[in-house]
Amino acid sequence: MAETGSDQAGDMKHDSVSSPGISDHEREMATNAFEAFKAGSYDVSLKHLDNLQELNKEDYKITMNKAITEFYKSGQTTTSTLKQTLMTLKNQMHTAVDDIDGLDDVENSILNYNQAVIYYHMRQYSEAISIGEKLYQFLEPFEEKFAQAVCFLLVDLYLLTFQPEKALHLLAVLEKLTVKDGNSKNGKGESTNSANKESSSLKAEFTAMIEAAKSKMHQYKVRAYIQMKSLKACKREIKSVMNTSGNSAPSLFMKSNFEYLRGNYRKAVKLLNSSNIAEHPGPLKTGECMRCMFWNNLGCIHFAMGKHNLGLFYFKKALQENDHVCAQLGDGSNGQAKKFTGIPMCALLANKRYELLYNCGIQLLHIGRPLAAFECLMEAVQVYHSNPRLWLRLAECCITANKGSSEQETKGLPSKKGIVQAVVGQGYHRKIVLASQSTQNTIYSEGQSAAIPVASMEFAAICLRNALLLLPEHQQHDSKPDKSCSQSGSTESGSETSDACSGKTQEGDKFIPAAPSSPLRKQEVENLRCSILACSAYVALALGDNLMALNHAEKLLHQTKLSGSLKFLGHLYAAEALISLDRISDAIAHLNPENVTDVSLGVSSSEQEQGSDKGDLEPVESSGKQTPLCYPSSVSSARSTMLFNLGSAYCLRSEYEKARKCLHQAASMVNTKEIPPEAILLGVYLELQNGNTQLALQIIKRNQLLPSVKPTSSPDLRKKPLPFQTSQPVQPIQTPSSFTQVQRK
């Protein structure tokens, strides 16, 4: 769910008005330039600045003020030019960010702040955070308004990078500053006893600024608590937001997001519909397209309700609205703002194309349209290439697109076409052609490079390898410092700043960024690793790389926190790889039914925390997260699958009696309609080996397993050629849609 952010803009430097060592004439010109800038008379302000620069050519602050004035004169559309000018001034002053360590750097604080603001609007958040945290070290010498601006910028950056604990810490500091400044101002007013109109207007202006800051702080707290999924604290802050902001669009959006987290989807939709987004300023003023956010949030709600087609409809509406806004802003590259000229700086953040494409891709993947999902996610991965979860989704698109073309297979259900492929001839010469061997081990691309982004299994292997490489190693979770602290800069000083990186983040656990989705906590990283390994084993089997498949399957089974469902798949994939490598005994050990004790999908800790605070529509949410139909719904069903495959392994060792026992034991554990075609073929093979030709024909005609009878012919029939190929084993039943859907939960 999208939330509103604060608008930041560059400020004109006015320290020269009160700086020592300048004449009264220079001070007067500086004051006139600043007053003209505030009034919007940028040409007049530039004239005063030019005259001032002739008197003092070495003062870089005058050059910076001229650049900012020209920037505002152009309607804030020359962001790249302003950025280059500030970088040049920075190099001239030799004040790199890492060298901020003295009072001289306090004098250059406005220059640093303006650079951070530009980085913020150009989505270079790590650079902006680095500068903002350096400025935070020298917060005390700053004026109240500027100190608030630095803190608010940092809070916004922390929320955009999913660091709510740090944002809440800064908001607590802001509250202390606001109360302290308010008390000091009131005290000064009482001591001077000046009742002139100017002092009263200044006091009223200051009071309005304090109230606006408090309202903004309440909104930031709601966003932080929503990211932390702390619903009780969020509920308290939402009441404060509604009291200060009323039924404005941002406050109603936040309340809708709160109800969305609680599972009250109908109420969330009702709140969104009640928001008057037409009254909200457009992206030129706020950098936000409320209509785009409205359609996106509706899509998120219907996705959670399990209504994926309707969710896709709303995401497409959001994409259309986003493209329309980008066209209005003068971005002629279909929403892809590659140049930062011609578009107002605050509107650079309005383009949400890639976030929306990511949402569309996930939704398309859920409704069984993997090729369309692949196109959306391939465009999104160009921007979010460091997201391991996104690479996994791309691999799932490739797997789903290559798992079959029948109607039942595209729905994620096992094929029930039967084992008869065709009937040739008539009468005495009538022949039955059985289904050929599975085509899962075929190569899908014909002469193309695997690096070409097409929905093939070879490209899926590349995507999964990228996803694994982007995940941290196991040792990093235990021995290395918290990433959320190290990303923010290692030279932070002060007890308040160090507190933000100590106890708070230990509670919230370590995370790695996964934009545009939420970051991955420690347990989520391990869950994602298990899903990637399961997919990697499946893809390697499909490509015929049995050694690699065995390697991935064994790594999967050695994971410390492995769900029962993926453990079941790990044993199946390891057994199939071992059978292909002619290591039947090792495969039989994996196919032991006692290995399956649980087939649960596993629930993340964050979802468990949400469960206790859910609202009155909990059944609606659960309906959208049910177990896939093709997946074993119980331990007995999973064990029957293991027994079917165990029978095929015994068959390869010519232990036909053991194979027959496994086959009929497995058939007794499931419904007749759930017996896979491969198991029926195995039954035919066993009966032919046993000499029961008539029973084998009955199995073929009825397409179901029948009770076995004693052989009616001599044992020599076992040495006759078989009617179908047996050079390759009957493979374990692979259900790609099962584990890909499990991973998307």
Side-chain angles (χ1 to χ4, degrees), residues 58-78:
E58 296 182 357
D59 193 350
Y60 79 95
K61 300 171 187 175
I62 301 175
T63 306
M64 181 184 68
N65 286 345
K66 287 179 62 178
I68 294 174
T69 306
E70 291 172 351
F71 173 69
Y72 274 86
K73 181 182 176 182
S74 68
Q76 303 184 29
T77 57
T78 57

Side-chain angles (χ1 to χ4, degrees), residues 424-445:
V424 180
Q426 294 180 352
Y428 181 77
H429 300 285
R430 183 170 176 264
K431 303 292 183 182
I432 298 175
V433 181
L434 298 182
S436 61
Q437 180 67 25
S438 173
T439 59
Q440 290 174 0
N441 288 347
T442 58
I443 304 300
Y444 291 91
S445 62

Side-chain angles (χ1 to χ4, degrees), residues 353-429:
R353 176 176 178 79
Y354 296 101
E355 293 94 325
L356 294 171
L357 284 171
Y358 182 91
N359 287 347
C360 284
I362 300 300
Q363 197 76 278
L364 286 164
L365 194 54
H366 273 77
I367 61 178
R369 296 174 58 188
L371 294 178
F374 182 82
E375 295 297 326
C376 291
L377 295 180
M378 272 307 303
E379 193 169 349
V381 83
Q382 298 175 31
V383 177
Y384 304 112
H385 47 78
S386 61
N387 183 353
R389 191 188 281 136
L390 178 53
W391 285 108
L392 173 62
R393 299 293 174 255
L394 278 169
E396 289 174 349
C397 291
C398 299
I399 292 171
T400 310
N402 287 281
K403 70 183 176 63
S405 58
S406 68
E407 181 180 356
Q408 289 176 321
E409 286 178 330
T410 53
K411 291 182 179 179
L413 300 174
S415 175
K416 294 295 180 183
K417 294 185 296 183
I419 62 174
V420 177
Q421 182 175 356
V423 178
V424 180
Q426 294 180 352
Y428 181 77
H429 300 285

Side-chain angles (χ1 to χ4, degrees), residues 460-527:
I462 294 177
C463 294
L464 292 168
R465 189 157 56 248
N466 290 344
L468 274 178
L469 290 173
L470 288 169
L471 289 180
E473 295 295 332
H474 293 281
Q475 293 80 7
Q476 289 183 348
H477 294 301
D478 301 322
S479 60
K480 291 195 175 181
D482 187 356
K483 277 198 170 186
S484 63
C485 297
S486 61
Q487 286 178 349
S488 311
S490 57
T491 59
E492 294 175 329
S493 64
S495 60
E496 292 177 337
T497 310
S498 61
D499 288 342
C501 287
S502 57
K504 289 276 185 180
T505 47
Q506 287 176 4
E507 236 177 71
D509 217 344
K510 301 147 186 155
F511 70 87
I512 62 172
S517 53
S518 58
L520 298 166
R521 303 285 176 176
K522 180 180 179 181
Q523 184 53 45
E524 292 170 337
V525 169
E526 298 308 318
N527 293 340

Side-chain angles (χ1 to χ4, degrees), residues 19 52 94 109 155 165 178-180 202 226 256 294 322 343 363 401 429 445 469 505 524 541 691:
S19 298
L52 188 62
H94 302 287
S109 57
V155 169
E165 294 90 355
T178 305
V179 173
K180 180 181 177 182
L202 289 174
I226 283 176
S256 173
F294 172 79
N322 183 79
I343 305 174
Q363 197 76 278
H429 300 285
S445 62
L469 290 173
T505 47
E524 292 170 337
L541 285 172

Side-chain angles (χ1 to χ4, degrees), residues 60 88-96 108 111:
Y60 79 95
T88 304
L89 292 174
K90 190 81 170 179
N91 294 332
Q92 291 175 357
M93 297 300 297
H94 302 287
T95 55
N108 305 326
L111 173 62

Side-chain angles (χ1 to χ4, degrees), residues 145-204:
K145 187 176 180 181
F146 181 67
Q148 280 189 4
V150 171
C151 290
F152 276 129
L153 176 62
L154 263 180
V155 169
D156 219 339
L157 288 166
Y158 283 146
L159 291 176
L160 286 170
T161 53
F162 295 95
Q163 302 181 65
E165 294 90 355
K166 288 188 175 184
L168 287 173
H169 166 75
L170 265 183
L171 288 170
V173 174
L174 265 171
E175 284 183 339
K176 293 178 183 178
L177 285 175
T178 305
V179 173
K180 180 181 177 182
D181 295 338
N183 293 336
S184 63
K185 289 287 182 180
N186 291 334
K188 287 180 181 178
E190 291 173 0
S191 60
T192 56
N193 293 323
S194 58
N196 53 45
K197 295 181 180 180
E198 185 178 355
S199 62
S200 61
S201 62
L202 289 174
K203 187 176 180 181

